[in-house]
Every structure is written in structure tokens, then in C-alpha cells.
Amino acid sequence: MNDVLPDEMARWHLIERLFAEAARSYGFREIRTPIVEPTGLFVRTIGEATDVVEKEMYSFTHRDEALTLRPEATAGVARAYVEHRVHTLEPVTKWFCTGPMFRAEKPQRGRYRQFYQLDCEIFGDPGPGCDAELIDMLVGLFDQLKIPDVRVLVNSIGGAEARARYRDGLVAFLEPRREELSAESQRRLQTNPLRILDSKDPRDKVVVAEAPTIEQYLSDDDRAHFDGLVRALTALGVPFTIDPHLVRGLDYYTRTLFEIKGASAKLGAGDTLVGGGRYDNMIEELGGPKVPAIGFASGIERLIIASEATVPGAIVDAYIAPLGASAVEPALVLGRDLRREGVAVEVDSRGGSLKSQLRRANALSCGIALILGDSEVESGTVQVKDLAAHTQDSIARAEVVRFVSDRLKARSR
Ligand code: HAM
């Protein structure tokens, strides 16, 4: 679990703002759900035999109630959709959220125990058009964030029937090769054989490379849905790869699955920036009507590492250096007047030499320093030092607020 220090916040804000703007431009509205939910919600939706539920949840009992810090957003958002009977209000619901998630994983670069996700969920649209739109939205966002080497992987895991048949087929293939698998995968053979496809163990990877893929088990409808996704992505001009071994670590998925990877040079093995997919049965399983759903989540910490976009470095726009005892109060008043015009200002009322104050102005990356000494107070002027343009002007006190805000506006254009 990490502290996010002020120097890093500009990049967090950039990512959160661009994500919210992108989501709103596709008709998503923001939702916030609690960080704590009943443990049973995650066990039922994510699945008992998944890494998240088996090993990674922060669960505790409080007054006989089993509770868990949310390991992901989807289950809580789907619970809110059912609880508020949102299907009676509108045929299609598009929600986004951001916030902290908790998984007791082995920490490494881009993998933490408290991490933040950007998340979108769509309820009521069976796709595949909206599936493709979600992916396209993310590719556009990652372009804005200047993330190098973005790769989209898609697959279909079919409906419940196809999945059950595939599970049998996979077990039939893996059982005779049991001895070649890792101990963990030998156990998974009974509990959750599909997870073996996702194993990082080199022994498992060799066996899995030869395993049958889901493709041949899909129903005609599943196949038509996937073909529709492929056509829509192609029409939108989104480059993608079909990865028949893509299964993902949560049990609730049906049909469309996708991952987006990027900036692998910096992220190494943890280069999955986005995981998402369809979960057409969850709403019904949570006691709601039969409503199809799809969504994705992206880890903000990974986007921070991956993004090469420049972020503004300035902490304040202007710095006021009062020199001499009579200048302190006029400096406080000037600072307040500037802030009312939307200029962020630091008034250094500690005093000190001009040199040391200007050094601090530079450390705050502000473009303008306002110098106010005894003689300026007396003559009703302010020295405006443009630290970027290396100019200095003596401006009448009555004009200085306009002068500074015009100068800053011209610069931001
Ligand atoms: P997920 O694949 O478990 O899916 O996580 C999605 C993304 O969250 C990952 O690709 C990664 O960027 C980030 N992430 C996951 N675990 C960590 C961690 N320990 N540290 C840092 N980042 C992490 C879900 O969570 C699903 N709820 C996605 C979804 C939404 N499917 C449908 N709707």
C-alpha cells in the first residue's frame, strides 16, 4: 500500500480527468459504491476457486457480519444496479467509477495491495457493438496519455454451456498430462481447470500451448457474437489480436473477453493495463432480472508508469515576495485579490532576501514573481518579474491583477 505524494498527483489528476472526460463523451455517468461489501457478494460473483477469493481478499468479521474490502468494482456496482432496480428506470445503464481496491497480492512493480482502478460498466446492451466501443474508447484514451506499444487482445469464452463443454474437453486433455503440470495446476484440475490456461508457471505454459482452445466449443450464437465484435473493431479501425488462450482470472465472464497491454519495456510481466469482458449472468445471479452486462477496469498505478504525457509542473502561478516590514500586509491583500481572479498564488510572508525568495519562486515552478518592497508600497506600484520571459515591469497596484491574469492567460493559450 502506497502513499501518493504531492509531486505525483498532477499525473493522477491528468489520468482521472481524461478518463472521466472520455467516459462522459460515451454517455457514462459516475457512480460511487462502498469500499466494504458483504464477503458473500465477491465469493458468489468472482468465484470461489479464483486467486482473488482464495488468497487475496482482506476479509474480516464485524459483529457477526462477514465483510471484505472490495478487491474490484464490478460486483459492488452490479449489486447497486440490482438493489436500486435501475432496470426499471432505463433500458441501458452506463456507469463509471474510480477508487481504491484491495488485494493481498505479492507486491511488485505495478502490483500493489491497495491500488486504484478506473472502471466502466454497461448494463442492458447485449453487444457486440458496445463491446467494441469500450475497447475503442480505451485505445483513444491511451493515445491521449501517450502510452507506447498498446496491444489489444480479444477472445470469446462463450456462454455457460460452451464453457462447461470446454471445461470437460480441457480436463480430458490435461488429465493424462497431470504429472507435467505445476502442483498448483494439478489442484486446479479439480477446482477450476480454466485457470490453468492463465498460469505463469513455465511447466504449465508448455502443456497449455498444445491444449484445445475454446473456439471449437462455442455455440453458433456465441460465434456470431464474436464475429460481430471482430467486424465492429475492424470498422472502428482498432488494431487487435485474437488470443484463443485468453481466459482472465475472474469466474463471472461470458462471451467477450479482452485485455489491453502496453509499455512492456517499463512494466515487464505486469503490462496488463486493462482487463474486461462480458458478464451476462451476474445480474440475474444477484437476484435481478436477466440483463446482459460488460465492463472493464484499468489500474491507475500502471497507467502512471506507462504514460509518457507531459504534465504541468507548476504548483502556483505567481509568487509574491514582500521585502520589508511594511510590505507584508499589502502582499497578503494582493495575494487574495489575485486568487479571486483565479490565479494560484503563494505569498511568502516569512520575509528574507530577494535572492532566497526568487529561489523559492523557481522551486514552485511559477512563471511570475511579484516584488513588493517599502518603496513600491509608498509609490503604489508592484514589480512584476516574468521568470519565463526574463523581463521586469513596474505596474500600478490598481492594474496589477489584470496585468498578471492577462499574462498567464496568454501563456496558457
Ligand atoms: P482485473 O483483471 O482483475 O479485472 O483487474 C483489472 C486491472 O486492474 C488490471 O489489468 C490491472 O491494470 C489492475 N490491477 C489488478 N490488480 C492490481 C494490483 N494488485 N495492483 C495494481 N493494479 C492492479 C477486474 O478487476 C474486473 N473487475 C474488470 C471488469 C470490469 N470486468 C468487467 N467489468
Side-chain angles (χ1 to χ4, degrees):
M1 296 185 187
N2 298 307
D3 298 314
V4 182
L5 296 174
D7 272 353
E8 304 161 54
M9 282 316 301
R11 197 167 287 280
W12 281 74
H13 286 152
L14 176 78
I15 291 170
E16 287 165 356
R17 179 171 60 78
L18 291 179
F19 167 66
E21 280 172 16
R24 288 204 179 89
S25 78
Y26 280 77
F28 287 86
R29 298 165 75 208
E30 186 169 7
I31 178 169
R32 295 189 188 186
T33 63
I35 284 172
V36 181
E37 296 275 357
T39 302
L41 173 70
F42 301 115
V43 177
R44 272 199 291 165
T45 53
I46 294 172
E48 214 149 355
T50 56
D51 283 349
V52 171
V53 169
E54 269 184 355
K55 307 183 209 160
E56 296 168 2
M57 295 206 302
Y58 286 95
S59 300
F60 57 99
T61 308
H62 179 71
R63 297 200 186 118
D64 295 334
E65 207 179 352
L67 299 172
T68 292
L69 299 186
R70 63 180 182 193
E72 55 118 49
T74 312
V77 170
R79 177 206 45 72
Y81 178 87
V82 173
E83 191 170 318
H84 299 279
R85 298 178 50 77
V86 180
H87 71 282
T88 62
L89 309 176
E90 54 191 12
V92 175
T93 296
K94 296 166 97 173
W95 283 344
F96 76 92
C97 62
T98 55
M101 311 294 155
F102 303 85
R103 295 185 195 176
E105 295 201 70
K106 197 158 164 262
Q108 59 187 65
R109 188 168 172 74
R111 186 179 301 282
Y112 311 105
R113 294 185 164 175
Q114 173 172 336
F115 60 99
Y116 287 73
Q117 281 186 339
L118 309 171
D119 183 286
C120 280
E121 311 291 349
I122 305 177
F123 301 101
D125 187 334
C130 69
D131 308 24
E133 262 196 326
L134 271 186
I135 296 170
D136 189 34
M137 178 180 114
L138 284 160
V139 170
L141 176 64
F142 291 174
D143 191 42
Q144 282 182 297
L145 290 174
K146 300 201 169 30
I147 295 180
D149 178 27
V150 170
R151 283 154 294 134
V152 176
L153 307 175
V154 297
N155 192 23
S156 175
I157 190 135
E161 269 172 45
R163 203 164 147 149
R165 282 201 305 271
Y166 180 47
R167 188 189 151 106
D168 293 345
L170 197 59
V171 172
F173 171 85
L174 291 174
E175 198 58 65
R177 296 166 179 80
R178 169 181 276 278
E179 298 305 315
E180 298 159 47
L181 294 170
S182 66
E184 176 74 5
S185 288
Q186 293 190 20
R187 192 177 64 83
R188 290 272 195 237
L189 211 44
Q190 266 83 46
T191 57
N192 198 348
L194 262 59
R195 300 285 310 121
I196 299 173
L197 298 176
D198 215 22
S199 166
K200 302 283 175 285
D201 191 298
R203 283 167 297 174
D204 297 335
K205 281 186 167 180
V206 173
V207 180
V208 158
E210 304 290 316
T213 59
I214 183 86
E215 218 261 323
Q216 65 212 77
Y217 295 88
L218 296 181
S219 71
D220 289 348
D221 286 349
D222 292 337
R223 207 179 302 267
H225 191 277
F226 190 61
D227 290 346
L229 172 66
V230 166
R231 278 199 309 277
L233 286 174
T234 308
L236 288 164
V238 178
F240 63 95
T241 307
I242 298 173
D243 178 356
H245 286 298
L246 181 64
V247 285
R248 310 229 342 99
L250 313 168
D251 274 358
Y252 50 63
Y253 290 114
T254 54
R255 291 194 167 164
T256 305
L257 290 182
F258 63 95
E259 284 188 351
I260 303 183
K261 295 180 186 284
S264 309
K266 281 191 272 179
L267 281 161
D271 62 351
T272 306
L273 303 173
V274 179
R278 216 159 243 296
Y279 48 101
D280 290 341
N281 301 325
M282 190 193 293
I283 296 299
E284 201 175 18
E285 280 161 12
L286 291 177
K290 189 152 182 54
V291 171
I294 183 167
F296 69 79
S298 181
I300 298 185
E301 290 83 353
R302 292 189 192 184
L303 300 181
I304 301 250
I305 297 170
S307 170
E308 292 176 1
T310 49
V311 291
I315 295 167
V316 287
D317 306 312
Y319 180 90
I320 304 182
L323 302 173
S326 70
V328 171
E329 287 83 23
L332 297 176
V333 176
L334 176 58
R336 190 200 51 202
D337 291 352
L338 279 161
R339 292 184 192 110
R340 287 187 176 164
E341 285 303 304
V343 179
V345 184
E346 172 79 10
V347 180
D348 197 342
S349 48
R350 297 171 308 162
S353 70
L354 179 61
K355 200 171 158 205
S356 75
Q357 297 215 41
L358 289 180
R359 207 178 302 128
R360 173 127 174 93
N362 276 315
L364 294 171
S365 313
C366 43
I368 291 179
L370 304 170
I371 302 158
L372 206 54
D374 292 338
S375 61
E376 280 77 20
V377 173
E378 208 163 294
S379 64
T381 58
V382 178
Q383 295 292 327
V384 179
K385 203 172 170 58
D386 189 322
L387 298 171
H390 304 290
T391 57
Q392 186 162 332
D393 298 279
S394 178
I395 307 292
R397 173 61 179 87
E399 303 294 323
V400 76
V401 171
R402 171 146 311 255
F403 182 88
V404 169
S405 65
D406 285 352
R407 181 68 61 102
L408 289 167
K409 266 183 217 142
R411 191 161 297 162
S412 67
R413 244 177 249 131

